[in-house]
Amino acid sequence: MFDNLSDRLGNVFDRLRGRGALSETDVREAMREVRVALLEADVALPVARRFIDAVTEKAVGQDVLRSVTPGQQVVKIVHDELVEMLGGGEGAQAEDLNLAAKPPVVIMMVGLQGSGKTTTTAKLAKYIREKHGRKALMASLDVARPAAQEQLAVLGTQVDVATLPIVKGQQPVDIARRALESARLQAMDVLLLDTAGRLHVDQALMDEMKAVAGVSAPTEVLLVVDSLTGQDAVNVAQSFSGEVPLTGVVLTRMDGDARGGAALSMRHVTGKPIKFAGTGEKLDALEAFHPGRVADRILG
Ligand code: GDP
């Protein structure tokens, strides 16, 4: 995770730390290198720019440059800004699911085809049972992709979580209604709706998402995006967040993401926290996203 970015930043900061005194020019020079490293990591341009401005403003202050360990201080400022960029608030902790609403709490999963949405739905159902001790029902509303509903049923068996019986020919909104009814009857705590994806964002998809949200009143709407797609992931997030009321983001394939651009841009683009990271194909490869820990990892 973030290996390339981590190496690049590591080099810049090793040099800064290695010097006894720092001038404003040294800081600005280092920040130019950081900017390039961020852009090469596929961080969205406005996000990189804002980051550099914030760090520079704090780092060229006299109390930093005149301190005994100016390099160290600059690295600390970078760390704190990274946490901020990753969405860290109080204590830079992970933001968990909001399960406080009246049950069944509806969690709607949205995203493009291939983003890892169905896998993540099953991972979350397992997480909800193991970490929260809550009973979940999963339902696939994906009538577009052949065998999508069966795929969720198979995953449900693997994680030992119930799935809504498949009724062929039913439309997404009707499946959502039936799922809600079924979750109520079975006194489920949580209902996870795995919505249909598309290869690209289109209006029909957005209309479907809005209609499903309309009948299911989700407490959480989680956007699942593939971190490996970098700038594309950012564009997808922008499109979705303009149309459906997202409450959070799940970044998948973080296990293979050496660059980190999507992770670093997501908060700025959506205004919503990254709640989880998918870190593998296995159904327990889901981690709560801790901005503080991720920043530590990036800075080595
Ligand atoms: P969907 O079309 O969005 O529902 O995508 P799927 O859930 O079917 O996932 C597509 C592929 O990505 C599957 O082979 C998953 O095993 C894989 N996948 C999903 N999440 C992750 C992840 O976090 N890491 C890795 N390495 N693979 C993942």
Side-chain angles (χ1 to χ4, degrees):
M1 230 187 264
F2 304 118
D3 293 350
N4 298 353
L5 180 61
S6 199
D7 287 351
R8 292 285 300 267
L9 295 183
N11 288 339
V12 178
F13 296 136
D14 281 350
R15 256 178 288 139
L16 269 192
R17 278 200 215 92
R19 306 170 71 135
L22 285 186
S23 68
E24 188 174 325
T25 315
D26 295 330
V27 172
R28 290 192 188 279
E29 180 56 37
M31 286 310 126
R32 252 194 297 277
E33 291 179 50
V34 172
R35 185 171 188 273
V36 174
L38 290 175
L39 293 179
E40 282 179 7
D42 251 354
V43 173
L45 182 61
V47 180
R49 196 179 285 152
R50 211 173 74 149
F51 178 84
I52 296 300
D53 288 351
V55 172
T56 308
E57 190 183 321
K58 288 177 190 153
V60 298
Q62 288 309 311
D63 42 345
V64 173
L65 296 181
R66 287 205 190 128
S67 77
V68 191
T69 53
Q72 215 115 345
Q73 304 266 353
V74 173
V75 176
K76 163 91 171 63
I77 293 169
V78 169
H79 179 273
D80 293 349
E81 282 303 319
L82 267 181
V83 172
E84 184 81 25
M85 188 177 179
L86 290 161
E90 202 59 27
Q93 290 303 312
E95 287 207 32
D96 205 349
L97 295 169
N98 178 4
L99 299 179
K102 186 168 160 271
V105 175
V106 177
I107 302 178
M108 189 174 153
M109 311 293 290
V110 302
L112 290 186
Q113 196 169 306
S115 59
K117 190 156 31 65
T118 303
T119 311
T120 305
T121 304
K123 286 178 177 180
L124 264 185
K126 181 170 153 63
Y127 170 90
I128 286 166
R129 187 189 60 231
E130 290 174 356
K131 293 282 180 349
H132 290 278
R134 308 278 177 100
K135 225 165 62 161
L137 173 70
M138 302 193 287
S140 167
L141 312 189
D142 191 347
V143 296
R145 185 162 61 95
Q149 292 176 286
E150 287 80 1
Q151 184 193 348
L152 188 68
V154 169
L155 293 173
T157 312
Q158 287 173 17
V159 293
D160 199 15
V161 171
T163 48
L164 185 74
I166 300 169
V167 175
K168 289 288 173 196
Q170 228 176 12
Q171 289 309 297
V173 166
D174 297 321
I175 304 176
R177 283 206 189 94
R178 183 162 59 89
L180 208 50
E181 189 56 31
S182 176
R184 280 197 192 112
L185 285 174
Q186 298 179 74
M188 292 288 179
D189 301 309
V190 177
L191 170 63
L192 285 147
L193 297 177
D194 180 20
T195 64
R198 293 281 196 283
L199 290 177
H200 305 283
V201 173
D202 64 27
Q203 199 51 47
L205 175 65
M206 294 307 167
D207 291 345
E208 186 175 312
M209 295 302 107
K210 279 187 249 184
V212 169
V215 297
S216 63
T219 300
E220 292 273 8
V221 181
L222 299 178
L223 174 68
V224 180
V225 276
D226 178 354
S227 64
L228 292 183
T229 58
Q231 287 283 354
D232 274 347
V234 174
N235 296 336
V236 166
Q238 202 141 29
S239 308
F240 271 92
S241 65
E243 298 271 354
V244 282
L246 300 180
T247 58
V249 176
V250 181
L251 276 181
T252 59
R253 300 207 180 83
M254 290 284 280
D255 45 311
D257 186 17
R259 290 178 301 169
L264 291 164
S265 311
M266 220 31 91
R267 178 64 190 234
H268 178 82
V269 170
T270 63
K272 302 298 171 202
I274 300 171
K275 292 201 168 184
F276 296 94
T279 53
E281 296 201 25
K282 293 226 181 86
L283 295 170
D284 53 6
L286 184 77
E287 292 178 13
F289 189 89
H290 297 270
R293 283 191 214 157
V294 175
D296 288 346
R297 205 181 281 188
I298 293 173
L299 292 180

